[in-house]
Amino acid sequence: MSLSPAERYSLSRRQRRQPRLVDFVAGQRFDLDPFQLAACGALDEGRSVLVAAPTGAGKTVVAEFAVFLAMQERGAKVFYTTPIKALSNQKYQEFVDAWGADSVGLLTGDTNVNSGARIVVMTTEVLRNMLYADSPLLDRLAYVVMDEVHYLADRFRGAVWEEVIIHLPEAVRLVSLSATVSNAEEFGDWLHAVRGDTDVIVSEERPVPLEQHVIVKSKMLDLFDSSGQAATNRVNPELKQLARAGGRSISGRSTRGQRGGDRGRYHSDARAGSGRADRPEVVAMLQGKNLLPAIVFIFSRAGCDQAVRQVLRSGIRLTESTERAEIRQIVEARARMLRDEDLAVLGYWEWLEGLERGVAAHHAGMLPAFKEIVEELFQLKLLKVVFATETLALGVNMPARSVVLEKLEKFNGEARVPITPGEYTQLTGRAGRRGIDVEGHSVIQWVDGLDPEAVAALASRRSYPMNSSFRPTYNMAVNLIDQFGRERTRQILELSFAQFQADRAVVDLARTLRKQEESMAGFEQAMSCHLGDFGEYAALRRRIGEIERQSSKGNPTHAQRDRMQRELASARKAMRAHPCHGCAERESHARWAERWWRLKQEHEQLSRQIRTRTGQVAKRFDRVTEVLESLGYLERDASGALVSTSAGRILKRIYGERDLLVAECLRRGIWGGLDEAGIAAMAATLVYEPRRDDSGVDYRLPRGRFREAFERTTDTWSVLDDLERGHRLPGGDVPSPALASAMHAWARGAGLGTVLTDTEFAAGDFVRLTKQVVDLLDQVSLVADAELGSTARAAIDAVRRGVVAYGALA
């Protein structure tokens, strides 16, 4: 490709100024887009970056450049953090392929592979825990990549992202990768405030253009007018005519719904007179228009499974014989470690039939190993249609030629609500494979009451705001107070994005305060004297100066003048008698002492400003510390400062929603005497999140010591809940025994079929919850007494078997 004179000049300048970037670009399969070059250039010049761009736009190239830079710097490390284990596993494999297994590690809580490597992929929680523990693995850390950083808005886990951003050493350069959010500049300003120089690079350009369509019966219509006689953003008149004939608009529809939504049942919208095509018809239409491979988003796990069965019953086959042979070979190789009886329980043969015909489901209820196989086959272009829930849109690399949305509303746990512009952007971001497709296709299925204008507005808004969900927890409070003390911790909390959004000025003040403290520490060191306390000596000199200034002002009375003279003589006598008065470097020390004093005055004034502007984050922190102090996790030392107790040091190492309850049960010895199955069942009551229909259900509890221990655990929860509400904290849900019997049976060797039948859990849910049980048991094993710690370790071995142990990277 020939370059223009201007492009040749620009390339020549870059080669001279940024040779590392030129070397990196030369090794890429595609020419870098302007936003990628801008972000990489900022990194090469030593600045952090926030990159906000659509799904599939190539943000990860910037992360790969950070890895490239780290590997060029002798001994430097780079950590790549992700919100979900599946994405961590995928990135780990990509880096192994690029840099070799010896250079790459993986840490996901239940997986530890080559943790001392120079490139380590991890979940964000792992990095947060490392920062609190001051892990030696942080040595020589040069870059941290935070993939999907918009997770910071997640109600349950978002605070972890803020903790990491705040606590990372200042020298570490941060690469933040986000979906297109409407307040990227605000978020970038916060990053600049807490991390220093940070470039904000926003791109709303998709590398592969997106065409938008609506399927009505057997026709696929363009969403926007394509006649060429109107503006490109005008809705297709044919769709508007259909809407006028079809009744209610989507904006006027009731948002009331029953729990579970349609539970996967295919509504009677496909009846005569409705504009809705059935699923096999949609697949056949996509195949006929050369729009495969496709991802069809259905906001129901049961709906995804049923869609696969419907397509299989229709007789559709989307693969060639050679592809079917390759699919079977891959699947059998990946599944060979699973037992035959487990395969039968998991519906393996029906699942394999669907794979061989090019069709599969993908949702959180599936076994993680099965989801990984679906992802691998789709990436190899062997699968042609995947019916998926929206969890697929969260970062896993599965681009398609087209994306189909069956509905534009979903059940959020309480009601049916329209999907947001951000969710629409995230879902349709999968459409269009760079380097393969000229354009991607978003396809919406018609339903009675669909409003094309509302759909067009949804499709035209490509961003959504990111709002902080940060809130201090008990574990966070003890860790921070132990490291920094209470006052400094309050200042740190003022650095949160939550506080920044509430009052941007406080964050700037808190950053200035931190810089002042660093300068004061340097001044204090410079004025130190080997003969004595120079700060004390400097205070005497300041007092002499104050008295002299007072005596020269106004017209003091004779009595006032006598008093000042006596004070002055006393101060001068004390100054001459002070050991530092005879120091040869006295005046040099005095200059540093004067700077320290002036800065201290500014520091106190700034602190007063912050105290008057402290928001809800610090108030919640105060309430949390009050609870911890009343329970004895924090206490006052001789100087009146808050410090952690032995109980507090246990709480420091317990992470999760129920951190205080776990620590209190350990302190009271409630779980002493439980066997391996009992402690595993107890952990299950703490990691399981109760559902609305769990209330009032009389669950069968394991026999023996467990029942008494569970009753005492719920009593302890009740005491803590009352205490929290008394301190104006929200409290939490009572521990649920819904999973206890199943976990107890599993730990005692019961088969997968027995466990799933007893609980009605999906295999994927059971494996996910069991891994959370393993994570909690691991924490307990490290902080409990010797006997319970040993039991917890034995319990880990008892539950980490079969499908739970399969695929260490799952």
Side-chain angles (χ1 to χ4, degrees):
M1 182 182 71
S2 60
L3 299 176
S4 68
E7 288 172 329
R8 284 198 299 272
Y9 175 70
S10 176
L11 178 61
S12 174
R13 285 190 61 193
R14 188 180 303 130
Q15 285 173 333
R16 289 195 303 271
R17 195 176 76 241
Q18 297 177 320
R20 294 186 299 181
L21 178 55
V22 172
D23 290 345
F24 175 76
V25 170
Q28 300 303 300
R29 292 187 299 127
F30 304 108
D31 292 335
L32 266 59
D33 293 332
F35 87 90
Q36 294 169 323
L37 286 171
C40 291
L43 266 181
D44 199 18
E45 292 172 3
R47 298 188 296 279
S48 296
V49 292
L50 165 64
V51 183
T55 301
K59 296 185 292 289
T60 53
V61 166
V62 184
E64 288 163 5
F65 183 59
V67 173
F68 178 85
L69 288 177
M71 298 304 280
Q72 306 304 305
E73 299 170 18
R74 186 172 180 181
K77 291 182 182 178
V78 56
F79 288 171
Y80 192 111
T81 72
T82 72
I84 54 177
K85 292 180 181 180
L87 187 53
S88 292
N89 299 337
Q90 189 177 82
K91 298 309 299 184
Y92 167 75
Q93 198 56 59
E94 289 175 11
F95 287 135
V96 166
D97 293 342
W99 297 98
D102 290 344
S103 297
V104 187
L106 176 67
L107 296 171
T108 58
D110 58 356
T111 302
N112 185 330
V113 178
N114 198 15
S115 61
R118 293 181 60 192
I119 307 167
V120 185
V121 183
M122 62 186 67
T123 50
T124 316
E125 282 84 353
V126 169
L127 179 52
R128 185 271 311 272
N129 298 351
M130 288 169 63
L131 288 166
Y132 279 158
D134 197 21
S135 169
L137 295 176
L138 296 166
D139 292 346
R140 302 188 67 81
L141 180 62
Y143 300 88
V144 165
V145 177
M146 302 198 80
D147 203 352
E148 309 282 340
V149 76
H150 50 272
Y151 245 84
L152 181 142
D154 183 79
R155 186 161 60 97
F156 298 105
R157 298 173 58 207
V160 176
W161 272 255
E162 293 191 47
E163 290 176 78
V164 168
I165 291 168
I166 292 169
H167 293 303
L168 274 176
E170 195 165 341
V172 174
R173 276 160 285 180
L174 190 65
V175 181
S176 304
L177 306 180
S178 170
T180 311
V181 292
S182 54
N183 60 335
E185 285 76 13
E186 178 188 37
F187 183 55
D189 288 346
W190 174 69
L191 288 173
H192 186 84
V194 297
R195 301 291 318 157
D197 284 347
T198 302
D199 283 16
V200 179
I201 291 134
V202 178
S203 172
E204 295 192 26
E205 294 298 317
R206 286 177 50 100
V208 180
L210 184 67
E211 296 293 322
Q212 319 243 15
H213 314 280
V214 178
I215 289 180
V216 185
K217 288 191 175 179
S218 58
K219 291 181 67 176
M220 184 181 291
L221 304 176
D222 291 337
L223 174 60
F224 296 104
D225 190 344
S226 57
S227 65
Q229 299 174 7
T232 55
N233 60 351
R234 196 183 89 167
V235 173
N236 188 337
E238 190 174 350
L239 286 175
K240 293 168 74 172
Q241 186 177 354
L242 276 169
R244 282 194 293 271
R248 298 171 299 163
S249 72
I250 196 168
S251 59
R253 299 178 71 184
S254 169
T255 59
R256 290 178 297 172
Q258 298 176 343
R259 190 186 185 283
D262 65 9
R263 293 194 181 275
R265 290 191 296 273
Y266 197 57
H267 289 296
S268 54
D269 294 328
R271 65 189 182 276
S274 167
R276 190 175 184 88
D278 65 24
R279 286 157 175 163
E281 285 177 334
V282 170
V283 171
M285 188 185 306
L286 294 172
Q287 184 183 28
K289 293 183 177 294
N290 196 28
L291 293 181
L292 299 181
I295 298 172
V296 182
F297 283 108
I298 302 174
F299 302 121
S300 155
R301 297 178 183 183
C304 292
D305 293 334
Q306 189 176 51
V308 173
R309 290 193 292 272
Q310 288 170 346
V311 172
L312 294 183
R313 283 199 300 269
S314 74
I316 288 176
R317 190 184 299 275
L318 303 172
T319 54
E320 304 292 335
S321 59
T322 54
E323 292 176 316
R324 291 193 287 276
E326 189 176 353
I327 289 168
R328 179 175 284 270
Q329 182 181 4
I330 291 172
V331 174
E332 289 179 348
R334 300 289 184 274
R336 69 180 185 279
M337 300 299 292
L338 294 173
R339 300 186 305 174
D340 288 345
E341 54 266 39
D342 288 346
L343 291 176
V345 170
L346 295 167
Y348 172 79
W349 303 109
E350 181 184 12
W351 175 68
L352 178 58
E353 181 191 359
L355 295 177
E356 289 184 331
R357 288 166 63 175
V359 182
H362 187 289
H363 56 73
M366 293 171 61
L367 195 69
F370 281 18
K371 285 198 297 180
E372 289 176 9
I373 291 170
V374 169
E375 292 161 13
E376 180 180 357
L377 294 177
F378 197 82
Q379 289 163 8
L380 292 171
K381 306 183 186 65
L382 295 171
L383 277 182
K384 313 302 180 183
V385 177
V386 171
F387 295 96
T389 56
E390 69 268 34
T391 54
L392 180 60
L394 299 175
V396 178
N397 182 26
M398 281 181 63
R401 177 163 293 169
S402 61
V403 163
V404 180
L405 277 67
E406 280 204 350
K407 295 181 179 179
L408 294 178
E409 59 182 21
K410 66 176 185 177
F411 188 75
N412 69 355
E414 296 179 359
R416 282 204 163 278
V417 296
I419 64 172
T420 66
E423 289 169 332
Y424 183 87
T425 301
Q426 193 87 346
L427 296 168
T428 57
R430 296 283 161 207
R433 298 164 300 175
R434 189 168 187 171
I436 301 174
D437 299 319
V438 176
E439 57 194 17
H441 297 266
S442 165
V443 182
I444 296 163
Q445 283 197 259
W446 178 271
V447 293
D448 288 340
L450 190 74
D451 180 357
E453 296 283 0
V455 176
L458 189 69
S460 301
R461 291 173 59 196
R462 299 199 176 278
S463 60
Y464 56 100
M466 177 166 56
N467 295 312
S468 172
S469 60
F470 184 84
R471 53 176 173 60
T473 64
Y474 297 109
N475 167 275
M476 185 195 302
V478 175
N479 269 291
L480 292 178
I481 287 173
D482 219 36
Q483 275 189 282
F484 306 110
R486 185 174 183 275
E487 287 308 309
R488 177 70 189 280
T489 295
R490 288 180 108 258
Q491 294 168 16
I492 287 170
L493 294 177
E494 300 295 352
L495 293 170
S496 69
F497 188 45
Q499 183 60 45
F500 186 85
Q501 290 189 303
D503 182 357
R504 293 180 60 165
V506 169
V507 175
D508 292 329
L509 293 174
R511 180 174 172 80
T512 303
L513 205 66
R514 190 164 66 178
K515 291 289 188 185
Q516 286 179 342
E517 288 169 353
E518 292 170 1
S519 298
M520 285 167 63
F523 294 167
E524 201 164 357
Q525 188 174 2
M527 75 182 191
S528 64
C529 179
H530 66 289
L531 296 177
D533 184 349
F534 202 90
E536 188 178 73
Y537 178 74
L540 288 169
R541 288 176 57 135
R542 280 195 303 275
R543 180 58 185 153
I544 291 169
E546 288 171 10
I547 296 170
E548 289 175 339
R549 282 192 297 274
Q550 286 174 9
S551 63
S552 65
K553 287 181 181 178
N555 189 22
T557 65
H558 182 73
Q560 288 173 331
R561 192 178 298 111
D562 283 348
R563 179 179 54 80
M564 284 190 285
Q565 288 300 323
R566 286 194 301 272
E567 285 184 21
L568 189 60
S570 175
R572 284 173 174 165
K573 181 179 178 182
M575 180 187 72
R576 287 193 294 269
H578 197 282
C580 293
H581 190 66
C583 179
E585 298 181 28
R586 183 183 66 198
E587 293 310 310
S588 173
H589 293 332
R591 284 192 294 273
W592 286 111
E594 186 60 28
R595 291 172 189 166
W596 177 87
W597 175 254
R598 284 200 300 268
L599 194 57
K600 184 174 183 291
Q601 297 293 97
E602 293 175 18
H603 183 271
E604 289 176 353
Q605 183 180 357
L606 207 55
S607 295
R608 284 193 294 272
Q609 279 184 264
I610 288 177
R611 280 196 295 271
T612 59
R613 303 177 73 165
T614 295
Q616 291 302 311
V617 175
K619 288 177 182 175
R620 181 182 172 110
F621 168 72
D622 290 339
R623 294 166 190 165
V624 165
T625 56
E626 287 166 9
V627 169
L628 292 174
E629 192 175 3
S630 70
L631 289 170
Y633 288 90
L634 295 172
E635 65 182 8
R636 302 278 172 177
D637 65 11
S639 65
L642 274 180
V643 294
S644 64
T645 62
S646 57
R649 288 186 283 278
I650 289 175
L651 179 57
K652 278 178 63 176
R653 301 174 72 181
I654 301 295
Y655 300 95
E657 288 291 311
R658 299 189 185 274
D659 49 5
L660 185 58
L661 178 58
V662 172
E664 193 68 2
C665 288
L666 290 174
R667 187 167 71 157
R668 296 184 183 194
I670 291 173
W671 300 338
L674 288 173
D675 60 9
E676 293 94 331
I679 191 63
M682 187 62 69
T685 69
L686 300 174
V687 303
Y688 178 76
E689 293 176 10
R691 299 176 299 193
R692 285 198 313 172
D693 58 358
D694 286 343
S695 58
V697 178
D698 187 17
Y699 290 104
R700 183 166 50 88
L701 296 180
R703 296 182 182 278
R705 172 80 179 86
F706 175 85
R707 296 190 177 193
E708 178 196 347
F710 180 67
E711 185 175 334
R712 290 182 62 194
T713 299
T714 54
D715 288 345
T716 302
W717 167 83
S718 180
V719 171
L720 294 178
D721 192 62
D722 289 343
L723 183 63
E724 288 176 313
R725 295 184 191 280
H727 284 83
R728 291 175 294 163
L729 290 168
D733 295 319
V734 63
S736 169
L739 186 61
S741 280
M743 193 59 60
H744 193 272
W746 180 254
R748 296 183 65 185
L752 180 64
T754 302
V755 169
L756 296 183
T757 300
D758 288 349
T759 64
E760 298 184 354
F761 279 101
D765 290 330
F766 178 74
V767 170
R768 175 177 54 82
L769 288 165
T770 304
K771 290 189 173 185
Q772 291 177 18
V773 165
V774 168
D775 185 45
L776 179 55
L777 289 173
D778 185 52
Q779 295 176 42
V780 169
S781 73
L782 296 174
V783 297
D785 59 53
E787 182 181 352
L788 183 57
S790 176
T791 304
R793 285 188 291 275
I796 291 172
D797 293 335
V799 299
R800 191 187 271 160
R801 63 179 180 85
V803 293
V804 177
Y806 173 83
L809 304 186

